PDB file of all heavy atoms in Angstrom:
ATOM      1  N   PRO Q  33      83.939  73.672 129.489  1.00 97.00           N
ATOM      2  CA  PRO Q  33      85.204  73.002 129.809  1.00 97.00           C
ATOM      3  C   PRO Q  33      85.129  72.028 130.976  1.00 97.00           C
ATOM      4  O   PRO Q  33      85.749  70.958 130.932  1.00 97.00           O
ATOM      5  CB  PRO Q  33      86.133  74.170 130.133  1.00 97.00           C
ATOM      6  CG  PRO Q  33      85.581  75.319 129.365  1.00 97.00           C
ATOM      7  CD  PRO Q  33      84.091  75.134 129.397  1.00 97.00           C
ATOM      8  N   PRO Q 116     113.748  82.836 154.789  1.00 95.00           N
ATOM      9  CA  PRO Q 116     113.914  82.051 153.566  1.00 95.00           C
ATOM     10  C   PRO Q 116     114.053  80.559 153.855  1.00 95.00           C
ATOM     11  O   PRO Q 116     114.104  80.135 155.011  1.00 95.00           O
ATOM     12  CB  PRO Q 116     115.212  82.621 152.988  1.00 95.00           C
ATOM     13  CG  PRO Q 116     116.010  82.972 154.209  1.00 95.00           C
ATOM     14  CD  PRO Q 116     115.007  83.473 155.217  1.00 95.00           C
ATOM     15  N   LYS Q 212     117.148  83.586 177.637  1.00 93.00           N
ATOM     16  CA  LYS Q 212     116.913  82.145 177.582  1.00 93.00           C
ATOM     17  C   LYS Q 212     115.884  81.744 176.529  1.00 93.00           C
ATOM     18  O   LYS Q 212     115.903  80.616 176.043  1.00 93.00           O
ATOM     19  CB  LYS Q 212     116.465  81.639 178.946  1.00 93.00           C
ATOM     20  CG  LYS Q 212     117.541  81.696 180.017  1.00 93.00           C
ATOM     21  CD  LYS Q 212     117.047  81.108 181.326  1.00 93.00           C
ATOM     22  CE  LYS Q 212     118.146  81.120 182.381  1.00 93.00           C
ATOM     23  NZ  LYS Q 212     117.671  80.552 183.680  1.00 93.00           N
ATOM     24  N   GLU Q 230     108.344  58.475 171.621  1.00 96.00           N
ATOM     25  CA  GLU Q 230     107.806  58.355 170.264  1.00 96.00           C
ATOM     26  C   GLU Q 230     107.623  59.738 169.651  1.00 96.00           C
ATOM     27  O   GLU Q 230     107.198  60.680 170.325  1.00 96.00           O
ATOM     28  CB  GLU Q 230     106.465  57.621 170.303  1.00 96.00           C
ATOM     29  CG  GLU Q 230     105.806  57.430 168.947  1.00 96.00           C
ATOM     30  CD  GLU Q 230     106.672  56.637 167.976  1.00 96.00           C
ATOM     31  OE1 GLU Q 230     107.158  55.547 168.355  1.00 96.00           O
ATOM     32  OE2 GLU Q 230     106.863  57.133 166.846  1.00 96.00           O
ATOM     33  N   THR Q 244     100.600  78.488 154.218  1.00 96.00           N
ATOM     34  CA  THR Q 244     101.408  79.357 153.372  1.00 96.00           C
ATOM     35  C   THR Q 244     100.670  80.685 153.213  1.00 96.00           C
ATOM     36  O   THR Q 244      99.554  80.844 153.710  1.00 96.00           O
ATOM     37  CB  THR Q 244     101.671  78.706 152.011  1.00 96.00           C
ATOM     38  OG1 THR Q 244     100.416  78.337 151.411  1.00 96.00           O
ATOM     39  CG2 THR Q 244     102.534  77.471 152.156  1.00 96.00           C
ATOM     40  N   SER Q 247      99.463  84.993 147.569  1.00 68.00           N
ATOM     41  CA  SER Q 247      99.968  86.218 146.931  1.00 68.00           C
ATOM     42  C   SER Q 247      98.853  86.974 146.229  1.00 68.00           C
ATOM     43  O   SER Q 247      99.061  88.063 145.708  1.00 68.00           O
ATOM     44  CB  SER Q 247     101.060  85.879 145.908  1.00 68.00           C
ATOM     45  OG  SER Q 247     100.550  85.028 144.899  1.00 68.00           O
ATOM     46  N   PRO Q 306     110.654  67.612 144.305  1.00 97.00           N
ATOM     47  CA  PRO Q 306     111.988  67.061 144.024  1.00 97.00           C
ATOM     48  C   PRO Q 306     112.368  65.908 144.945  1.00 97.00           C
ATOM     49  O   PRO Q 306     112.939  64.911 144.494  1.00 97.00           O
ATOM     50  CB  PRO Q 306     112.909  68.261 144.236  1.00 97.00           C
ATOM     51  CG  PRO Q 306     112.049  69.448 144.008  1.00 97.00           C
ATOM     52  CD  PRO Q 306     110.700  69.062 144.515  1.00 97.00           C
ATOM     53  N   GLN Q 361     113.495  71.631 132.433  1.00 94.00           N
ATOM     54  CA  GLN Q 361     112.154  72.034 132.854  1.00 94.00           C
ATOM     55  C   GLN Q 361     112.238  73.418 133.495  1.00 94.00           C
ATOM     56  O   GLN Q 361     112.068  73.577 134.689  1.00 94.00           O
ATOM     57  CB  GLN Q 361     111.559  71.006 133.830  1.00 94.00           C
ATOM     58  CG  GLN Q 361     110.059  71.149 134.020  1.00 94.00           C
ATOM     59  CD  GLN Q 361     109.500  70.060 134.927  1.00 94.00           C
ATOM     60  OE1 GLN Q 361     110.223  69.317 135.563  1.00 94.00           O
ATOM     61  NE2 GLN Q 361     108.193  69.970 135.006  1.00 94.00           N
ATOM     62  N   ASP Q 383     118.712  77.534 120.944  1.00 96.00           N
ATOM     63  CA  ASP Q 383     119.982  77.757 120.250  1.00 96.00           C
ATOM     64  C   ASP Q 383     121.179  77.414 121.128  1.00 96.00           C
ATOM     65  O   ASP Q 383     122.270  77.132 120.616  1.00 96.00           O
ATOM     66  CB  ASP Q 383     120.089  79.216 119.785  1.00 96.00           C
ATOM     67  CG  ASP Q 383     119.111  79.546 118.669  1.00 96.00           C
ATOM     68  OD1 ASP Q 383     118.521  78.602 118.092  1.00 96.00           O
ATOM     69  OD2 ASP Q 383     118.919  80.750 118.387  1.00 96.00           O
ATOM     70  N   VAL Q 402      98.314  74.440 138.951  1.00 97.00           N
ATOM     71  CA  VAL Q 402      96.987  74.134 138.415  1.00 97.00           C
ATOM     72  C   VAL Q 402      97.113  73.768 136.941  1.00 97.00           C
ATOM     73  O   VAL Q 402      96.629  72.725 136.501  1.00 97.00           O
ATOM     74  CB  VAL Q 402      96.019  75.327 138.582  1.00 97.00           C
ATOM     75  CG1 VAL Q 402      94.661  75.003 137.949  1.00 97.00           C
ATOM     76  CG2 VAL Q 402      95.846  75.688 140.053  1.00 97.00           C
ATOM     77  N   CYS Q 414      97.977  81.598 119.848  1.00 81.00           N
ATOM     78  CA  CYS Q 414      96.806  81.903 119.025  1.00 81.00           C
ATOM     79  C   CYS Q 414      95.978  83.060 119.594  1.00 81.00           C
ATOM     80  O   CYS Q 414      94.953  83.425 119.029  1.00 81.00           O
ATOM     81  CB  CYS Q 414      95.927  80.661 118.878  1.00 81.00           C
ATOM     82  SG  CYS Q 414      95.380  79.948 120.445  1.00 81.00           S
ATOM     83  N   MET Q 418      99.775  84.916 126.177  1.00 90.00           N
ATOM     84  CA  MET Q 418     100.240  83.540 126.100  1.00 90.00           C
ATOM     85  C   MET Q 418      99.410  82.625 126.994  1.00 90.00           C
ATOM     86  O   MET Q 418      98.840  83.048 128.007  1.00 90.00           O
ATOM     87  CB  MET Q 418     101.701  83.438 126.489  1.00 90.00           C
ATOM     88  CG  MET Q 418     102.045  83.918 127.886  1.00 90.00           C
ATOM     89  SD  MET Q 418     103.802  83.775 128.225  1.00 90.00           S
ATOM     90  CE  MET Q 418     103.961  82.004 128.440  1.00 90.00           C
ATOM     91  N   GLY Q 426      93.335  65.213 137.186  1.00 97.00           N
ATOM     92  CA  GLY Q 426      92.795  65.271 138.543  1.00 97.00           C
ATOM     93  C   GLY Q 426      92.208  66.620 138.894  1.00 97.00           C
ATOM     94  O   GLY Q 426      91.583  66.771 139.943  1.00 97.00           O
ATOM     95  N   GLY Q 445      85.940  85.181 131.934  1.00 98.00           N
ATOM     96  CA  GLY Q 445      85.235  85.177 133.209  1.00 98.00           C
ATOM     97  C   GLY Q 445      86.197  84.770 134.309  1.00 98.00           C
ATOM     98  O   GLY Q 445      87.397  84.598 134.079  1.00 98.00           O
ATOM     99  N   PHE Q 455      92.330  73.956 149.153  1.00 96.00           N
ATOM    100  CA  PHE Q 455      92.736  74.274 150.510  1.00 96.00           C
ATOM    101  C   PHE Q 455      91.587  74.055 151.510  1.00 96.00           C
ATOM    102  O   PHE Q 455      90.423  74.006 151.151  1.00 96.00           O
ATOM    103  CB  PHE Q 455      93.274  75.691 150.591  1.00 96.00           C
ATOM    104  CG  PHE Q 455      92.238  76.795 150.534  1.00 96.00           C
ATOM    105  CD1 PHE Q 455      92.312  77.900 151.384  1.00 96.00           C
ATOM    106  CD2 PHE Q 455      91.197  76.768 149.629  1.00 96.00           C
ATOM    107  CE1 PHE Q 455      91.385  78.921 151.335  1.00 96.00           C
ATOM    108  CE2 PHE Q 455      90.245  77.785 149.571  1.00 96.00           C
ATOM    109  CZ  PHE Q 455      90.343  78.858 150.428  1.00 96.00           C
ATOM    110  N   GLY Q 472      82.860  73.387 146.796  1.00 93.00           N
ATOM    111  CA  GLY Q 472      84.034  72.608 146.404  1.00 93.00           C
ATOM    112  C   GLY Q 472      84.927  73.282 145.388  1.00 93.00           C
ATOM    113  O   GLY Q 472      86.032  72.804 145.107  1.00 93.00           O
ATOM    114  N   LEU Q 508      92.386  97.545 133.650  1.00 97.00           N
ATOM    115  CA  LEU Q 508      93.575  98.316 133.318  1.00 97.00           C
ATOM    116  C   LEU Q 508      94.550  97.507 132.464  1.00 97.00           C
ATOM    117  O   LEU Q 508      95.276  98.072 131.639  1.00 97.00           O
ATOM    118  CB  LEU Q 508      94.259  98.795 134.597  1.00 97.00           C
ATOM    119  CG  LEU Q 508      93.438  99.785 135.443  1.00 97.00           C
ATOM    120  CD1 LEU Q 508      94.184 100.137 136.724  1.00 97.00           C
ATOM    121  CD2 LEU Q 508      93.122 101.049 134.656  1.00 97.00           C
ATOM    122  N   ASP Q 532      90.779 113.596 140.608  1.00 73.00           N
ATOM    123  CA  ASP Q 532      89.487 114.104 141.078  1.00 73.00           C
ATOM    124  C   ASP Q 532      88.464 112.990 140.931  1.00 73.00           C
ATOM    125  O   ASP Q 532      88.730 111.955 140.332  1.00 73.00           O
ATOM    126  CB  ASP Q 532      89.059 115.348 140.289  1.00 73.00           C
ATOM    127  CG  ASP Q 532      88.969 115.076 138.796  1.00 73.00           C
ATOM    128  OD1 ASP Q 532      88.059 114.340 138.379  1.00 73.00           O
ATOM    129  OD2 ASP Q 532      89.814 115.602 138.055  1.00 73.00           O
ATOM    130  N   ASP Q 550     115.572 108.661 120.386  1.00 95.00           N
ATOM    131  CA  ASP Q 550     115.012 109.748 121.189  1.00 95.00           C
ATOM    132  C   ASP Q 550     114.127 110.681 120.359  1.00 95.00           C
ATOM    133  O   ASP Q 550     113.113 111.190 120.842  1.00 95.00           O
ATOM    134  CB  ASP Q 550     116.136 110.548 121.854  1.00 95.00           C
ATOM    135  CG  ASP Q 550     116.799 109.789 122.987  1.00 95.00           C
ATOM    136  OD1 ASP Q 550     116.192 108.811 123.475  1.00 95.00           O
ATOM    137  OD2 ASP Q 550     117.921 110.161 123.368  1.00 95.00           O
ATOM    138  N   VAL Q 564      94.850 104.944 123.089  1.00 96.00           N
ATOM    139  CA  VAL Q 564      94.066 104.731 124.309  1.00 96.00           C
ATOM    140  C   VAL Q 564      92.733 105.472 124.219  1.00 96.00           C
ATOM    141  O   VAL Q 564      91.689 104.948 124.616  1.00 96.00           O
ATOM    142  CB  VAL Q 564      94.872 105.172 125.552  1.00 96.00           C
ATOM    143  CG1 VAL Q 564      93.993 105.145 126.805  1.00 96.00           C
ATOM    144  CG2 VAL Q 564      96.087 104.273 125.738  1.00 96.00           C
ATOM    145  N   ASP Q 620      97.475 116.204 147.774  1.00 83.00           N
ATOM    146  CA  ASP Q 620      96.922 117.312 148.557  1.00 83.00           C
ATOM    147  C   ASP Q 620      96.340 116.795 149.866  1.00 83.00           C
ATOM    148  O   ASP Q 620      96.358 115.602 150.158  1.00 83.00           O
ATOM    149  CB  ASP Q 620      95.887 118.095 147.747  1.00 83.00           C
ATOM    150  CG  ASP Q 620      94.651 117.268 147.390  1.00 83.00           C
ATOM    151  OD1 ASP Q 620      94.362 116.266 148.085  1.00 83.00           O
ATOM    152  OD2 ASP Q 620      93.962 117.628 146.416  1.00 83.00           O
ATOM    153  N   SER Q 630     100.489 123.168 138.792  1.00 53.00           N
ATOM    154  CA  SER Q 630      99.409 123.282 137.808  1.00 53.00           C
ATOM    155  C   SER Q 630      98.201 123.944 138.430  1.00 53.00           C
ATOM    156  O   SER Q 630      98.088 124.040 139.638  1.00 53.00           O
ATOM    157  CB  SER Q 630      99.026 121.902 137.288  1.00 53.00           C
ATOM    158  OG  SER Q 630      98.438 121.134 138.318  1.00 53.00           O
TER     159      SER Q 630
END
Side-chain angles (χ1 to χ4, degrees):
K212 292 183 178 180
E230 180 59 50
T244 54
S247 60
Q361 195 177 10
D383 291 347
V402 177
C414 57
M418 59 181 286
F455 75 137
L508 295 177
D532 58 70
D550 288 342
V564 172
D620 64 23
S630 67

